[in-house]
Amino acid sequence: MKLNMVHDIQSVYRKVLNAMAKPGVIENLKKEADQVDIETNCYENTFLMMMMLLDREVSFNVVSEKSVDVSSLISQMTYAKVKPIEEADYIFVLKDACDEQLDMVIKNAKIGDLVDPNKSATIIAEFKCLDNGSNILNFKGPGIKNLREVRISGETKWIKERNIKNEEYPLGVDLIYVDEKNNVMCIPRTTSITESEV
């Protein structure tokens, strides 16, 4: 069955909205991802994020060795404009670049201004695993009752850069992480992250 650009994308939107309201909670997009029937050179749930977030009113950037191919396809499908990392509204960091470049992307992404903090970037990054990785992170802040423990794979250099970037709330960047099992997890700028000592 083919992806329904109204029904399936609305379903994705509801799940992502719930994940954004409850930082560290993992939603699964397998049902919707199984409907994706085109080759995109990225995870199916990343493609769903692109279809949900992008249109002719916004800009994006893809960080990957395949960025030209992915950007060209997505721009044709959504009419969104490709812009440099420093100017893009949405930045997609694909799995082949995530460990090496995620902290650089966070460092260079726009944070909005005091008149309009919503003119900041949202970063969508592909991880191998979000639910049982070797790194244990503690999330604290709005939408989290006490403390939420999250396991994630890959490098964690991005945490330091993200904490610096979000020092002057309401300025900052929001993060959406996806993995190869079609999981999605959101980390809004209001969430505080610390690494557990293992």
Side-chain angles (χ1 to χ4, degrees), residues 60-75:
F60 75 103
N61 189 286
V62 175
V63 180
S64 168
E65 290 178 9
K66 303 167 187 157
S67 61
V68 174
D69 295 338
V70 177
S71 297
S72 177
L73 172 67
I74 298 308
S75 189

Side-chain angles (χ1 to χ4, degrees), residues 102-192:
L102 181 56
D103 54 330
M104 176 277 294
V105 168
I106 292 172
K107 182 176 184 177
N108 291 295
K110 62 182 182 176
I111 59 171
D113 56 49
L114 291 173
V115 174
D116 195 352
N118 290 328
K119 287 185 176 172
S120 60
T122 298
I123 299 165
I124 300 90
E126 294 183 337
F127 281 76
K128 182 173 175 58
C129 187
L130 293 178
D131 56 358
N132 65 359
S134 57
N135 303 305
I136 302 172
L137 310 180
N138 295 313
F139 286 14
K140 191 175 174 184
I144 304 167
K145 191 167 183 181
N146 296 310
L147 190 72
R148 183 164 290 135
E149 187 177 276
V150 176
R151 291 179 173 270
I152 196 167
S153 65
E155 291 289 333
T156 58
K157 295 180 289 186
W158 59 269
I159 296 171
K160 181 180 177 186
E161 206 56 63
R162 181 220 175 245
N163 290 344
I164 293 168
K165 197 75 168 182
N166 291 349
E167 276 178 341
E168 297 180 28
Y169 182 81
L171 307 183
V173 295
D174 298 312
L175 308 175
I176 300 175
Y177 288 170
V178 296
D179 73 9
E180 62 186 12
K181 294 187 283 186
N182 298 306
N183 291 319
V184 60
M185 177 178 70
C186 297
I187 312 173
R189 68 192 73 182
T190 54
T191 302
S192 167

Side-chain angles (χ1 to χ4, degrees), residues 16-23 142-144 186 188:
V16 172
L17 201 62
N18 186 58
M20 191 63 82
K22 301 172 185 173
I144 304 167
C186 297

